Amino acid sequence: QVQLVESGGGLVQAGGSLRLSCAASGRILRINDMGWYRQAPGKQRELVAVITSGGSTNYADSVKGRFTISRDNAKNTVFLQMNSLKPEDTGVYYCNAEATIVTMKVPLQYWGQGTQVTVSS
């Protein structure tokens, strides 16, 4: 199994910044894509940003130019720098990783427990 532990959420005023971190642990052979998703109240979970093991990134249109995803492969950690936050960015942010563990031959999807981000107007 892989454990994903997120940190860095909180309450911030509109226009402010937050930095989320997510560390993966377990008997990991390899991590492919890592990403961040969010879920606002009453809405479905949506992709925010994803980064490949090689560093290629993809963002939701709503966060392009404001959010930056990065990762430290040596530490199995992914980050999300969020700037110019808006009230509509409010939600629970979940870390996701596609990882292969030592007892499996194929990669599986793993999720963190989520961290709350609240942006006040």
Side-chain angles (χ1 to χ4, degrees):
Q1 288 290 341
V2 174
Q3 294 78 42
L4 300 177
V5 179
E6 300 121 332
S7 60
L11 172 64
V12 64
Q13 288 188 334
S17 298
L18 284 174
R19 180 177 170 85
L20 305 182
S21 299
C22 172
S25 62
R27 302 180 69 191
I28 300 170
L29 279 178
R30 179 176 58 255
I31 299 180
N32 299 326
D33 294 355
M34 299 187 81
W36 291 94
Y37 290 71
R38 68 186 179 192
Q39 188 166 17
K43 295 186 177 182
Q44 290 191 341
R45 191 175 298 187
E46 62 176 358
L47 173 69
V48 175
V50 64
I51 184 168
T52 68
S53 57
S56 297
T57 59
N58 192 33
Y59 297 91
D61 288 342
S62 59
V63 307
K64 284 181 180 177
R66 300 188 297 122
F67 291 10
T68 302
I69 189 170
S70 60
R71 65 191 282 177
D72 183 336
N73 289 332
K75 296 182 178 180
N76 290 335
T77 300
V78 64
F79 307 96
L80 186 68
Q81 178 66 44
M82 304 185 293
N83 298 328
S84 302
L85 282 160
K86 304 176 181 180
E88 50 264 43
D89 293 319
T90 294
V92 179
Y93 283 67
Y94 296 92
C95 176
N96 171 267
E98 182 184 81
T100 304
I101 60 175
V102 296
T103 56
M104 298 288 291
K105 295 183 178 180
V106 296
L108 299 177
Q109 297 287 337
Y110 297 91
W111 293 91
Q113 79 285 356
T115 185
Q116 178 70 43
V117 171
T118 303
V119 184
S120 62
S121 57

